[in-house]
Amino acid sequence: MSTAQQFQSVAAEEKAYLAALEEELSYFFAQQKTILESISPESLPLLESIQQLSTGGKRLRALLAYWGNRSAGGDANSPEIIRCGAAIELFQSAALIHDDIIDRSDTRRGAPAVHRRFQAQHTQQNWRTDSETFGISSAIITGDLCLSWSEQMFNTIGEKAQGLSQGRAIFDLMRTEVMAGQYLDILGEVVNTEKNSAAITRSRNVLRFKSAKYSCEHPLVLGAALALSARVDAPAPLLQNLSQFGLPLGEAFQMRDDVLGVFGESAITGKPTGDDLREGKRTLLIALTQQKAEPALWKKLDSALGNQDLTETDIVELQNIIIDCGALASLEAEIEKIGQHVISSLEAMPIEETPRLALENIVARLLHRAS
């Protein structure tokens, strides 16, 4: 098969899988609509908010689960990996809903964040009490419901699925790590850290456990685990190989996300330029700036972090501090180094050419993206 044909094969598989995933989610949402309507039609905005957020997006985690499954010899039409992908996507939506509340974000994917959506509903209906409190409270409930649905979807994989026990352990660990990582993230915004080494350590922990593991490593290994035990000829270290490939990929993916959170164009990212600065995110990029910038310039940036009223001029000034001290260049160099490592890991992995090419494409998309 020529390279062009291999690319076509990858694209066709991904298209078919994503179509099946959308169909599974649509069917699931239709079931939940019936249940919510039987409770009260007034509860339907919960479903509508989840549906809107869960529609579209890159489907990165589901695709990684799929290609992890295919790397381990899984069937392209396996209902188990479709439901697994749907469960991961629902978990992602739940995490985003709560993350936007914590970060006080107004938008998500170019649309109002869920808590802002409910806040607007309150304002439009001229309801009593405080609209912001209603918005946050409703979004917390929505995120909890979405998390519950993620668990419900995963349970539909069924006890007879190969590798389910191992997959369940990965799925459960993934959720615990994300919640702990989320706490470490908000902790980093409030603690008084004098030593830069502590700031860098904390930011790397957040990067790893809040994002990297559940964005790349766990979906890959989870997908493979659902297929691996069905193969009598499966390479023994494949799960470990996928883990060693997926974790650094996820870390570089989050590093790129952190760069975009400060320098990304709002028309492409769907969030205001410099949003991470207004939200006060203590990312690795910021920790590197603390390490490299002149004390007076670092103090200026540090005092500005978390200021929701930063103007575009303020953002540009803070961006220049990050650039001029070399923090941005240092992080870009680390992303490049990790990219070379994950490609080498992928080349050494004992998998077929189609999933290898698919994962290679995903690496390129993740590390060189603009949104």
Side-chain angles (χ1 to χ4, degrees):
M1 185 183 293
S2 68
T3 302
Q5 288 174 321
Q6 287 178 325
F7 273 110
Q8 290 174 351
S9 177
V10 167
E13 276 201 46
E14 289 192 349
K15 183 178 180 180
Y17 175 68
L18 292 178
L21 179 67
E22 299 300 336
E23 185 178 350
E24 184 70 33
L25 284 170
S26 294
Y27 177 72
F28 180 79
F29 287 142
Q31 289 180 308
Q32 301 311 314
K33 181 178 181 181
T34 300
I35 294 171
L36 290 174
E37 280 182 325
S38 72
I39 297 169
S40 170
E42 289 185 319
S43 66
L44 287 177
L46 298 170
L47 169 64
E48 292 161 3
S49 296
I50 294 172
Q51 269 189 296
Q52 183 186 52
L53 184 60
S54 299
T55 300
K58 301 179 183 69
R59 301 293 193 216
L60 162 67
R61 294 156 187 83
L63 281 172
L64 283 169
Y66 175 77
W67 288 116
N69 190 266
R70 293 282 287 112
S71 295
D75 185 352
N77 300 311
S78 163
E80 287 79 20
I81 195 58
I82 294 170
R83 291 169 186 166
C84 175
I88 292 172
E89 288 296 314
L90 287 169
F91 176 70
Q92 160 75 347
S93 293
L96 293 179
I97 292 168
H98 287 157
D99 198 45
D100 286 341
I101 296 170
I102 292 168
D103 293 338
R104 303 178 297 280
S105 297
D106 293 328
T107 60
R108 171 64 64 179
R109 294 173 179 166
V114 169
H115 63 289
R116 297 303 186 203
R117 179 185 172 107
F118 279 107
Q119 183 178 349
Q121 180 188 15
H122 183 286
T123 301
Q124 291 163 5
Q125 297 297 327
N126 195 28
W127 286 335
R128 293 178 296 173
T129 70
D130 179 58
S131 63
E132 185 173 9
T133 300
F134 174 79
I136 291 172
S137 300
S138 300
I140 290 172
I141 294 167
T142 305
D144 288 348
L145 178 61
C146 195
L147 191 61
S148 173
W149 284 353
S150 170
E151 172 70 13
Q152 185 176 336
M153 177 63 76
F154 192 84
N155 283 339
T156 65
I157 292 175
E159 291 296 333
K160 294 183 179 179
Q162 297 285 354
L164 181 58
S165 177
Q166 190 170 16
R168 161 57 69 184
I170 296 167
F171 190 69
D172 290 344
L173 176 62
M174 175 183 74
R175 293 181 298 169
T176 298
E177 287 178 341
V178 170
M179 302 308 172
Q182 183 69 272
Y183 173 73
L184 293 176
D185 192 19
I186 63 172
L187 181 66
E189 294 176 11
V190 299
V191 296
N192 296 316
T193 303
E194 295 182 357
K195 294 183 178 180
N196 181 250
S197 58
I200 288 180
T201 298
R202 185 179 293 108
S203 65
R204 287 191 182 276
N205 278 337
V206 171
L207 183 150
R208 172 170 290 193
F209 292 104
K210 181 187 172 185
S211 178
K213 281 180 162 288
Y214 107 98
S215 292
C216 295
E217 180 192 7
H218 287 322
L220 271 168
V221 178
L222 176 55
L226 292 176
L228 197 56
S229 60
R231 281 184 61 185
V232 295
D233 62 336
L238 182 58
L239 293 184
Q240 184 179 358
N241 290 342
L242 287 169
S243 177
Q244 291 172 347
F245 162 78
L247 178 57
L249 175 62
E251 290 178 337
F253 166 70
Q254 184 57 46
M255 290 175 193
R256 174 61 61 208
D257 201 59
D258 292 343
V259 170
L260 294 174
V262 175
F263 296 97
E265 297 181 23
S266 58
I268 299 175
T269 64
K271 281 183 168 288
T273 299
D275 210 35
D276 277 8
L277 299 174
R278 294 188 181 91
E279 292 173 2
K281 284 188 172 293
R282 301 279 171 166
T283 63
L284 180 57
L285 180 61
I286 298 302
L288 289 171
T289 304
Q290 179 181 349
Q291 182 186 62
K292 295 174 177 295
E294 293 293 328
L297 292 175
W298 163 246
K299 185 176 180 180
K300 183 170 188 174
L301 190 150
D302 185 40
S303 63
L305 286 174
N307 181 356
Q308 297 283 320
D309 298 322
L310 291 175
T311 66
E312 291 185 12
T313 301
D314 294 331
I315 293 296
V316 170
E317 189 173 0
L318 298 177
Q319 288 173 333
N320 286 335
I321 293 174
I322 295 169
I323 293 171
D324 293 343
C325 75
L328 177 61
S330 178
L331 193 62
E332 288 287 1
E334 186 167 353
I335 293 171
E336 179 65 25
K337 183 178 179 180
I338 292 174
Q340 294 173 359
H341 168 76
V342 296
I343 288 297
S344 297
S345 298
L346 182 59
E347 289 173 349
M349 218 180 293
I351 60 176
E352 293 182 358
E353 204 57 36
T354 296
R356 188 192 313 280
L357 182 60
L359 291 174
E360 188 177 309
N361 287 344
I362 288 175
V363 170
R365 295 205 307 259
L366 292 191
L367 303 192
H368 304 287
R369 62 199 173 94
S371 66

